Amino acid sequence: MGNQIHIPLTALTGGPLQPSRLAAGGVGATELPPASGRTFYLETFGCQMNVHDSEKVAGVLLRRGYRQVDSPAEADLVLYNTCSIREKAAQKVFSRLGQLRHGEGHQLVGVLGCVAQQEGERIFERAPWVNLVCGSASYRRLPELLAELESGRRRVVGLDTDTDETFETEFTRRDNPFRAYVTIIEGCDKSCAYCVVPFTRGPERSRTSDSILAEVRSLVELGYTEVQLLGQNVNSYRDPSPRRMSFAELLDAVAQIPGLRRVRFTTSHPRDFHPEIVQAIDANPVLCDHVHLPVQSGSTRILQRMNREYTREQYLERVEIIRRARRPISLTTDLIVGFPGETEADFEQTLTLLEEVGYDGAFSFKFSPRPNTAALSFPDDVPEEEKGRRLAVLQEKQRQIQLRRNQALVGSTVEVLVEGRSRPGQWTGRTSSNRVVNFTSPRVPNLGEYLQVCILAAGPHSLVGEQVI
Ligand code: SF4
């Protein structure tokens, strides 16, 4: 794992740069190659995996001497890193490409990520001014693909998913100066009926524990105190090196790295969520007390149609493991309403599960039929209007649960990592349980500082407090 490039902080806060932070980051420490005069624009859609992939793609381009610009109009190379989890997300890239139709003659255009893998060379038919189509499983070939573009080729593709390699780069341009993403596993071997990921990101490939630990150490040297381990299914991690570390062992090893204050991980799959993970959290205060455990539905019948490989009861057993931890661990989830065949009774099961578990947060969506998924052939028999009604009912119920759980924290003192200003005179940051806290302070806190904050009030999505002096 190579050098890390550190981006100055002004972009995030608009406030003065915190000298201490920059020194630690050491922009000067990593010499960029001479500028080639070429510029690139990179826009990212979708999940944290895509955000981190873009950080690495930008690192590859900076390593080639490109300079990043803020608008497509200024760029020699325009890149969109895309998401195809729902139809709406996929359509976004085609509307962007439409805007480039009459772009600068010399401009090169590339589509990366999940829509690239899903649509492949059909993109050239829909948008003939596109020059590069590259899926995430082919990113390790980016230097070679860019060389082909620079040599004058006008249609270049990277669509191979049959690989056991992961995307590791010499340079990674990191956007967030507080929380550093570290991919530990790519792809997915499961086949949930509604999900495009196995097709768009390919089979599971885990990085060696040594390369992950080395990357985290180099991030700590750069001044990072929080890292987030990423994967479609982090708890399916299988160390390919002779050390054969399990996910829980990897968590423990990362937590031992001096200088780290917080370690997060996302996303977990309930089938592979074992007690050792909670034991690791209990044994290491550095491991954050937050688990994201997508359930998708509360009905075993629908879970089986989704091919989620667990029942409602088995999912609740995992929740019980988490609830038995010595530390209170916040639990969040993902939910889909209106999956083909979902009856009112199935939906009621999802609502009762929300009550039974008491989630601290939930991302919820209407079912959207996707190409290259088993559910595409299922009759999409829940009317759109009814999907909308169920989503609204679910979100209102979850909002009340979150409000109740956040109100229980009023009067308590929590540790907050300061991430920025929320409004004049008020700062914002997150707790270890991943709650957003907006707070006042008698002084200007340092970004990236850890402060004790007394909670004075609570809303469904955030807490309000004042710094404890
Ligand atoms: S576990 Fe299921 S939902 Fe998650 S990425 Fe894999 S196929 Fe998609």
Side-chain angles (χ1 to χ4, degrees):
M1 171 64 2
N3 310 317
Q4 306 290 344
I5 300 172
H6 199 56
I7 298 293
L9 297 173
T10 47
L12 271 169
T13 64
L17 200 56
Q18 302 294 338
S20 59
R21 188 101 184 124
L22 185 56
V27 168
T30 311
E31 293 314 313
L32 286 174
S36 66
R38 281 184 284 247
T39 59
F40 74 96
Y41 169 81
L42 173 57
E43 186 170 349
T44 305
F45 302 91
C47 64
Q48 290 162 323
M49 290 289 288
N50 260 13
V51 170
H52 188 39
D53 282 346
S54 286
E55 292 182 329
K56 294 189 267 185
V57 168
V60 170
L61 287 154
L62 289 161
R63 182 76 190 82
R64 289 183 77 76
Y66 283 73
R67 181 172 57 79
Q68 180 149 20
V69 292
D70 293 334
S71 75
E74 305 165 62
D76 301 311
L77 174 62
V78 176
L79 294 172
Y80 296 110
N81 185 3
T82 61
C83 169
S84 71
I85 204 78
R86 272 170 289 282
E87 184 55 24
K88 214 160 129 218
Q91 281 318 315
K92 278 192 188 145
V93 67
F94 288 107
S95 73
R96 286 285 192 290
L97 293 174
Q99 291 156 14
L100 288 178
R101 186 186 194 97
H102 304 297
E104 308 300 317
H106 72 282
Q107 196 169 54
L108 298 174
V109 179
V111 177
L112 309 178
C114 292
V115 175
Q117 193 66 49
Q118 176 191 292
E119 297 299 317
E121 303 199 44
R122 285 195 298 275
I123 292 174
F124 293 136
E125 289 146 33
R126 276 185 74 171
W129 51 96
V130 169
N131 309 101
L132 170 68
V133 173
C134 182
S136 62
S138 298
Y139 284 162
R140 67 196 187 287
R141 294 182 49 218
L142 266 176
E144 156 208 337
L145 301 175
L146 289 165
E148 288 177 37
L149 276 181
E150 290 154 9
S151 69
R153 279 199 58 201
R154 284 297 163 263
R155 292 230 162 143
V156 175
V157 297
L159 294 170
D160 165 19
T161 57
D162 178 19
T163 173
D164 53 11
E165 289 186 54
T166 52
F167 179 35
E168 297 182 42
T169 53
E170 188 190 355
F171 281 70
T172 301
R173 193 224 54 220
R174 293 187 178 272
D175 289 344
N176 187 320
F178 318 111
R179 175 182 301 161
Y181 293 131
V182 176
T183 298
I184 67 168
I185 179 171
E186 292 179 27
C188 182
D189 286 351
K190 297 179 174 61
S191 51
C192 302
Y194 52 83
C195 184
V196 295
V197 169
F199 180 87
T200 59
R201 284 185 168 271
E204 278 169 7
R205 304 146 348 247
S206 297
R207 290 176 60 194
T208 65
S209 49
D210 285 343
S211 76
I212 295 166
L213 296 171
E215 181 175 355
V216 176
R217 285 192 203 96
S218 75
L219 289 165
V220 172
E221 281 159 27
L222 278 171
Y224 281 92
T225 59
E226 178 171 319
V227 296
Q228 180 154 358
L229 307 181
L230 290 182
Q232 311 300 151
N233 289 316
V234 284
N235 51 344
S236 305
Y237 176 75
R238 299 277 175 285
D239 182 2
S241 79
R243 297 172 85 178
R244 291 269 176 274
M245 269 194 192
S246 70
F247 178 58
E249 288 163 343
L250 179 71
L251 280 179
D252 195 62
V254 170
Q256 309 310 317
I257 295 175
L260 272 182
R261 297 279 299 266
R262 288 182 176 175
V263 177
R264 299 185 184 281
F265 56 89
T266 196
T267 296
S268 299
H269 190 284
R271 193 198 73 182
D272 306 328
F273 196 87
H274 305 303
E276 294 77 18
I277 297 171
V278 173
Q279 286 153 17
I281 294 174
D282 264 342
N284 298 287
V286 164
L287 297 180
C288 289
D289 42 20
H290 169 230
V291 169
H292 185 64
L293 198 66
V295 66
Q296 306 299 359
S297 172
S299 154
T300 293
R301 193 180 73 84
I302 295 298
L303 289 171
Q304 279 157 357
R305 285 175 63 78
M306 287 176 166
N307 193 28
R308 286 291 287 170
E309 301 182 52
Y310 53 84
T311 62
R312 177 189 174 103
E313 292 65 34
Q314 287 164 332
Y315 181 86
L316 289 170
E317 284 164 17
R318 269 59 176 184
V319 171
E320 190 47 35
I321 293 169
I322 295 168
R323 294 295 185 228
R324 281 206 305 271
R326 286 201 303 274
R327 291 161 51 192
I329 296 176
S330 81
L331 189 52
T332 57
T333 197
D334 296 341
L335 296 145
I336 294 174
V337 299
F339 188 78
E342 184 187 67
T343 63
E344 185 57 29
D346 294 316
F347 177 57
E348 276 305 315
Q349 291 248 295
T350 298
L351 296 180
T352 57
L353 184 98
L354 294 186
E355 208 51 72
E356 196 165 339
V357 174
Y359 290 108
D360 299 286
F363 301 95
S364 48
F365 309 93
K366 292 185 281 185
F367 170 71
S368 166
R370 304 303 299 133
N372 307 306
T373 66
L376 188 64
S377 63
F378 297 3
D380 188 6
D381 53 6
V382 180
E384 199 55 32
E385 201 185 325
E386 176 56 14
K387 285 180 188 170
R389 182 194 71 79
R390 289 179 189 178
L391 189 63
V393 168
L394 182 147
Q395 289 177 342
E396 176 49 29
K397 184 171 188 65
Q398 181 53 33
R399 198 187 68 76
Q400 291 166 11
I401 291 169
Q402 282 170 220
L403 180 58
R404 202 169 61 227
R405 294 184 64 81
N406 283 349
Q407 281 173 337
L409 295 171
V410 173
S412 69
T413 295
V414 294
E415 183 187 71
V416 173
L417 167 56
V418 182
E419 295 190 6
R421 214 194 303 261
S422 51
R423 62 169 187 243
Q426 195 181 57
W427 298 86
T428 189
R430 281 176 191 270
T431 64
S432 170
S433 64
N434 212 28
R435 284 185 172 84
V436 172
V437 181
N438 300 314
F439 65 96
T440 55
S441 168
R443 60 177 176 83
V444 175
N446 282 326
L447 305 177
E449 198 180 349
Y450 291 81
L451 297 179
Q452 297 299 314
V453 174
C454 176
I455 302 303
L456 305 175
H461 304 295
S462 63
L463 303 168
V464 175
E466 62 183 6
Q467 184 191 352
V468 177
I469 299 303

